[in-house]
Amino acid sequence: IYLDRLELHGFKSFPDKTVIKLHQGITAVIGPNGCGKSNIVDSVLWVMGEQKIKNLRGENNEDLIFNGSSSKKPLGMTEVGAYFSKEDEEIYIARRFFRDGESKYILNERFCRNKDIQDMLFQLRMGGTNYFIFEQGSIEKLVSLKPSEKRMLIEEAA
Amino acid sequence: IYLDRLELHGFKSFPDKTVIKLHQGITAVIGPNGCGKSNIVDSVLWVMGEQKIKNLRGENNEDLIFNGSSSKKPLGMTEVGAYFSKEDEEIYIARRFFRDGESKYILNERFCRNKDIQDMLFQLRMGGTNYFIFEQGSIEKLVSLKPSEKRMLIEEAA
Amino acid sequence: SRVSFSEAFNTIKENFLKNFKILFEGGEAELCLMEPDDLLETGLEIKAQPPGKRLLNLKLLSGGEKTLTSLAFLFALFEYKPSPFCVFDEVDASLDEANIQRFLKFLHKLKEKTQFLIITHNFKTMEEADYIYGISMNEPGISTIYSMKMTGKEKET
Amino acid sequence: SRVSFSEAFNTIKENFLKNFKILFEGGEAELCLMEPDDLLETGLEIKAQPPGKRLLNLKLLSGGEKTLTSLAFLFALFEYKPSPFCVFDEVDASLDEANIQRFLKFLHKLKEKTQFLIITHNFKTMEEADYIYGISMNEPGISTIYSMKMTGKEKET
Ligand SMILES: Nc1ncnc2c1ncn2[C@@H]1O[C@H](COP(=O)(O)OP(=O)(O)OP(=O)(O)O)[C@@H](O)[C@H]1O
Ligand SMILES: Nc1ncnc2c1ncn2[C@@H]1O[C@H](COP(=O)(O)OP(=O)(O)OP(=O)(O)O)[C@@H](O)[C@H]1O
Ligand SMILES: [Mg+2]
Ligand SMILES: [Mg+2]
């Protein structure tokens, strides 16, 4: 299974629909401070189901929606989509959030609940994968996880 | 007023007495991972009076005493000294800690209490200077200090 | 189940020690069960001793040493069961040049089974990448992505 | 006292805005009193808006932007009342090359009144230093210090 591409639309500093195609091997993302690199990391965490906004450096869910710039108005919603390839099959998950507080979850062609996405990720053996997304400064914390949390990592691998 | 030199003896990874002479301007400290650079920062915090061992990345006060290496035995005590120059005067402060838990504080030629050192630092207008010692990863936290803490910084400058 | 946990644990434990010795060029380390008699509930602990040093509280390790120890553990998990993808946001920020090289050698092996997305400011890391995307904010406040061709490794988006 | 607090605050507030604009090459920022009527007790808040961006929660700023905003504030304090010395442990780790240059320009001015001790892995920062000490562990587990002569800036320990 591999992640074929991400689509960010209205997510944090990405107002325009942005496709990030991922390849096999190592993809590096570079750019000056503040240009939006870590926002891409946040979008992966979010589409995979992160529920705590503070883990995405925000305080309110609205912080995820493009809030405007000197040349563009704020948007009313955000959507992040992820396409996974499994043998010949393509699996699409997406998540939307609206300023009025409404959330939508999408699996392939239909709306669903967050739980359905989590179940699908578990089937694809990517449940709990948040452990393998390391935001700035977080890699060091792996060694200081609680003993029960370290155990969880072994259990998930087993 | 300026800091003329530091003397580390038995402090963390510095078993032998090590003199670090400081000059006017910018002094850079370089070296590979784990060689002892941040330990120098800890020694400055400690000689200036830091009381919380977890702020020095330790769990027990004993963690500050050289704990041995493959070629040297652990030591029984640690001492850090700092020489300040003020016009024509030299002021010496030092702190010692022994494995049995005893602490000693030194100001110029005599033993004293930690409070006497703090008073002297305040007189030298270096009280609360811990705000100007930034360990790894801590500079970003300046903007996220509580409003009352930010106010303290202005008060100390006033 | 108890059997697969113990089998996974033993292999990962072995991998962890091997990886630690590679990343630190020696030293000793251990992934240990806190209650070996209670396989269903026991927590895990990491002990790490860089070469020539005595075993100390993990907190006393340097920033770079903590990162390397974490990577030794993470790679031990991946060698037992590769994750389909892994995202690193500036993990090389606290590593010196020599340790970045050791880190990149690991990625070179692991990337066959795992897609890595690495945010970095480091030139050696960029050289190791198979693809590079640049993010820019030519229009202030608006992020845009562009692919960058690498000399000798011409790629398209 | 209320008078000197308000005088210090006004000057530092001005310095902060000026420094922010230098470090970000534009943008808007403010150091503001949360309760301007209660000068004896009021807390302080920082607002930061990099160029072209809208004012947002400080948490949403990037790692490098938070560091720069902190430095703008710290330097504002130093310009009002210089600290005799200041220790930076790898503050440049999260800054890109251009921002490191702006950071170093500030140090160049402030170092007349403040001694800076900077731990760094960055070569530009090393070039800006007046003195360099290397720390090594030739004997494992034992730190030793040696001074390094800089080309064109020959110094002795
Ligand atoms: N909802 C939003 N709308 C518009 N802009 C946003 C939003 N949320 C965050 N941003 C902007 O995104 C920027 C931070 O982006 P990000 O953290 O991805 O930077 P970065 O490229 O990782 O930088 P660094 O190299 O410093 O870590 C901030 O300047 C912030 O203003
Ligand atoms: N009490 C002690 N006795 C002996 N060694 C110690 C003691 N306390 C800490 N150390 C050693 O000091 C080392 C860490 O040093 P330090 O944090 O100064 O490294 P550093 O040069 O800042 O590295 P980095 O570039 O990775 O931040 C650790 O390897 C640790 O084993
Ligand atoms: Mg970032
Ligand atoms: Mg360090």
Side-chain angles (χ1 to χ4, degrees):
Chain A
I1 175 117
Y2 72 93
L3 176 57
D4 187 67
R5 60 192 186 279
L6 289 165
E7 292 181 350
L8 277 63
H9 198 170
F11 188 85
K12 288 200 172 187
S13 59
F14 290 84
D16 306 321
K17 182 168 176 184
T18 304
V19 181
I20 303 172
K21 174 138 180 64
L22 285 156
H23 308 264
Q24 306 287 5
I26 299 168
T27 303
V29 174
I30 69 178
N33 291 129
C35 70
K37 308 178 296 295
S38 297
N39 290 345
I40 296 172
V41 180
D42 293 332
S43 75
V44 180
L45 282 165
W46 191 66
V47 75
M48 304 281 285
E50 178 61 63
Q51 295 296 336
K52 296 201 189 99
I53 189 69
K54 67 180 175 61
N55 289 346
L56 304 176
R57 294 176 292 148
E59 273 183 358
N60 309 307
N61 283 326
E62 291 190 274
D63 291 340
L64 299 179
I65 304 175
F66 176 73
N67 199 23
S69 68
S70 51
S71 63
K72 252 191 169 69
K73 285 211 184 83
L75 293 175
M77 70 168 283
T78 179
E79 173 173 336
V80 177
Y83 292 82
F84 293 94
S85 285
K86 180 179 175 171
E87 291 130 10
D88 291 335
E89 207 188 333
E90 188 171 77
I91 298 158
Y92 175 65
I93 65 176
R95 183 175 179 178
R96 290 178 190 165
F97 179 74
F98 300 81
R99 265 194 206 282
D100 62 14
E102 189 187 0
S103 279
K104 288 238 176 293
Y105 298 89
I106 297 164
L107 179 55
N108 292 324
E109 307 272 287
R110 55 187 178 72
F111 288 119
C112 62
R113 303 159 301 164
N114 184 28
K115 180 174 188 321
D116 302 313
I117 291 187
Q118 296 309 311
D119 291 346
M120 169 58 78
L121 290 175
F122 255 96
Q123 268 193 46
L124 297 178
R125 316 201 75 206
M126 281 195 291
T129 304
N130 292 358
Y131 286 113
F132 303 140
I133 300 176
F134 294 94
E135 311 111 278
Q136 254 167 301
S138 77
I139 184 79
E140 292 182 22
K141 303 200 177 121
L142 203 58
V143 288
S144 26
L145 288 178
K146 298 205 207 81
S148 52
E149 294 173 313
K150 288 190 180 98
R151 182 213 167 80
M152 269 303 265
L153 292 171
I154 308 285
E155 284 190 347
E156 287 183 1
Chain B
I1 176 116
Y2 72 94
L3 177 56
D4 187 69
R5 61 193 185 279
L6 290 166
E7 293 182 351
L8 276 64
H9 197 171
F11 188 84
K12 289 203 170 188
S13 59
F14 290 84
D16 305 320
K17 182 168 175 186
T18 304
V19 181
I20 303 173
K21 175 139 181 59
L22 285 156
H23 309 265
Q24 306 287 3
I26 299 169
T27 302
V29 175
I30 70 177
N33 292 129
C35 68
K37 310 178 294 296
S38 298
N39 290 344
I40 296 172
V41 180
D42 293 332
S43 75
V44 180
L45 282 165
W46 190 67
V47 75
M48 303 281 284
E50 178 61 62
Q51 295 297 336
K52 298 199 188 100
I53 189 70
K54 64 176 177 61
N55 289 347
L56 304 177
R57 294 177 292 150
E59 273 182 358
N60 309 306
N61 283 327
E62 291 190 276
D63 291 340
L64 299 179
I65 304 174
F66 176 73
N67 198 23
S69 69
S70 51
S71 61
K72 253 191 172 65
K73 285 213 184 82
L75 293 175
M77 69 168 283
T78 179
E79 175 174 333
V80 176
Y83 293 82
F84 294 94
S85 287
K86 180 180 177 173
E87 290 130 12
D88 289 337
E89 204 188 338
E90 187 172 79
I91 298 157
Y92 174 66
I93 66 176
R95 183 174 179 182
R96 290 178 191 165
F97 179 74
F98 300 81
R99 267 196 203 280
D100 61 15
E102 189 186 4
S103 281
K104 289 239 175 291
Y105 298 89
I106 297 162
L107 179 55
N108 292 325
E109 306 272 289
R110 54 187 180 74
F111 288 119
C112 63
R113 302 159 303 163
N114 184 29
K115 180 174 187 322
D116 301 313
I117 292 188
Q118 296 309 309
D119 290 345
M120 169 58 78
L121 290 175
F122 255 95
Q123 267 191 47
L124 297 178
R125 316 201 77 206
M126 282 196 294
T129 306
N130 292 356
Y131 287 114
F132 304 139
I133 298 175
F134 294 94
E135 311 112 277
Q136 256 168 301
S138 76
I139 184 79
E140 293 182 20
K141 305 201 175 121
L142 203 56
V143 288
S144 28
L145 288 178
K146 297 208 208 84
S148 51
E149 293 174 314
K150 287 190 179 101
R151 182 214 167 82
M152 270 303 266
L153 291 172
I154 308 284
E155 285 190 347
E156 287 183 1
Chain C
S1 81
R2 197 182 298 177
V3 172
S4 63
F5 175 82
S6 122
E7 168 192 319
F9 172 76
N10 287 326
T11 310
I12 291 166
K13 174 183 167 90
E14 219 169 290
N15 293 342
F16 172 67
L17 176 58
K18 158 180 79 59
N19 294 344
F20 185 93
K21 286 187 186 274
I22 292 172
L23 288 168
F24 281 86
E25 297 202 326
E28 288 300 328
E30 197 188 352
L31 192 60
C32 43
L33 299 166
M34 295 178 77
E35 282 129 45
D37 310 321
D38 182 8
L39 279 186
L40 283 174
E41 295 285 318
T42 177
L44 252 72
E45 211 174 31
I46 287 180
K47 300 199 166 104
Q49 182 175 312
K53 298 179 179 178
R54 292 259 175 120
L55 188 63
L56 287 169
N57 186 347
L58 283 180
K59 292 207 187 85
L60 291 169
L61 288 180
S62 80
E65 290 174 324
K66 280 190 196 125
T67 295
L68 288 177
T69 307
S70 294
L71 290 171
F73 183 35
L74 181 70
F75 295 158
L77 294 165
F78 284 177
E79 286 165 333
Y80 183 76
K81 181 189 163 201
S83 172
F85 67 90
C86 173
V87 182
F88 284 141
D89 194 344
E90 294 191 31
V91 299
D92 50 20
S94 58
L95 297 180
D96 61 41
E97 292 294 319
N99 282 326
I100 289 180
Q101 288 295 356
R102 290 175 198 121
F103 162 67
L104 294 175
K105 265 179 92 173
F106 258 97
L107 292 193
H108 195 80
K109 272 194 303 169
L110 295 169
K111 72 180 189 180
E112 276 182 49
K113 300 194 177 164
T114 297
Q115 275 170 300
F116 287 97
L117 181 65
I118 306 192
I119 311 228
T120 184
H121 291 290
N122 186 279
F123 290 93
K124 293 283 187 310
T125 304
M126 292 177 212
E127 283 177 13
E128 182 63 26
D130 301 300
Y131 296 88
I132 300 184
Y133 288 119
I135 310 291
S136 82
M137 270 198 172
N138 287 330
E139 222 182 316
I142 297 171
S143 300
T144 51
I145 186 167
Y146 56 96
S147 72
M148 298 173 65
K149 298 204 181 296
M150 293 174 67
T151 33
K153 278 192 187 185
E154 294 281 319
K155 306 278 184 222
E156 294 184 346
T157 319
Chain D
S1 78
R2 197 182 299 177
V3 172
S4 65
F5 174 82
S6 125
E7 168 192 319
F9 172 75
N10 287 328
T11 309
I12 291 168
K13 173 184 167 88
E14 219 170 291
N15 292 343
F16 172 67
L17 177 57
K18 160 181 77 57
N19 294 344
F20 185 93
K21 286 187 185 278
I22 292 172
L23 289 168
F24 281 86
E25 299 205 321
E28 288 301 326
E30 197 188 353
L31 192 60
C32 41
L33 299 166
M34 295 179 79
E35 284 132 44
D37 311 320
D38 182 8
L39 279 185
L40 282 175
E41 294 287 316
T42 177
L44 252 72
E45 211 174 34
I46 287 180
K47 298 198 167 105
Q49 183 175 311
K53 296 179 179 178
R54 291 258 174 117
L55 187 62
L56 287 169
N57 187 346
L58 283 180
K59 291 206 187 86
L60 292 169
L61 289 180
S62 81
E65 290 173 324
K66 279 191 197 124
T67 295
L68 288 177
T69 305
S70 296
L71 290 171
F73 183 35
L74 181 70
F75 295 157
L77 292 165
F78 284 177
E79 286 166 331
Y80 182 75
K81 180 186 163 202
S83 173
F85 68 89
C86 174
V87 182
F88 284 141
D89 195 343
E90 295 191 29
V91 299
D92 51 18
S94 58
L95 297 180
D96 61 41
E97 293 292 321
N99 282 326
I100 289 179
Q101 289 295 357
R102 288 173 198 123
F103 162 66
L104 294 175
K105 264 180 91 173
F106 258 97
L107 291 193
H108 196 79
K109 270 193 304 170
L110 295 168
K111 72 180 190 182
E112 276 182 50
K113 301 195 180 163
T114 298
Q115 276 170 303
F116 286 97
L117 181 66
I118 306 191
I119 310 226
T120 185
H121 290 291
N122 186 280
F123 291 93
K124 293 283 188 309
T125 304
M126 290 176 213
E127 284 177 12
E128 183 62 26
D130 301 299
Y131 296 87
I132 300 184
Y133 288 119
I135 309 290
S136 84
M137 268 196 173
N138 285 331
E139 222 182 316
I142 296 172
S143 301
T144 49
I145 187 170
Y146 55 98
S147 71
M148 297 173 65
K149 299 205 180 298
M150 292 174 66
T151 30
K153 277 191 188 186
E154 293 281 321
K155 308 278 184 220
E156 295 185 346
T157 321

